[in-house]
Amino acid sequence: ACLVGSEMCKETGVTTGMRTSEDGTEYIFIQNFMNETREIILPYPLRDLISENIYSGKTELPAYAAMVCVKA
């Protein structure tokens, strides 16, 4: 498992990015560019805006999947 945002995650094919909107909302983009599921560790609870699910701690990111999140 890799901590989201760490160098180790990048090495496993998972990338993250963050953008802040004009109203101050932080959006976290998590993408798996590999053809296999990756286990990731989230540093705090996040709500995925695509699925509307809330994730925290260890979670799996399927192959070629993406999440667009805000803090839960």
Side-chain angles (χ1 to χ4, degrees):
C2 65
L3 179 64
V4 167
S6 70
E7 285 299 315
M8 188 172 107
C9 245
K10 290 178 189 174
E11 292 172 7
T12 64
V14 176
T15 64
T16 60
M18 184 180 294
R19 302 287 184 271
T20 304
S21 68
E22 289 182 10
D23 69 3
T25 303
E26 291 182 340
Y27 295 92
I28 299 107
F29 301 86
I30 307 169
Q31 298 170 288
N32 179 4
F33 287 99
M34 301 304 288
N35 65 353
E36 56 190 43
T37 297
R38 296 293 189 198
E39 187 175 74
I40 58 174
I41 302 170
L42 303 175
Y44 38 78
L46 294 173
R47 179 170 55 94
D48 180 14
L49 299 176
I50 298 170
S51 69
E52 292 297 322
N53 292 325
I54 296 176
Y55 299 94
S56 63
K58 285 186 181 179
T59 190
E60 290 188 343
L61 188 60
Y64 303 113
M67 298 168 69
V68 179
C69 303
V70 294
K71 288 183 182 178

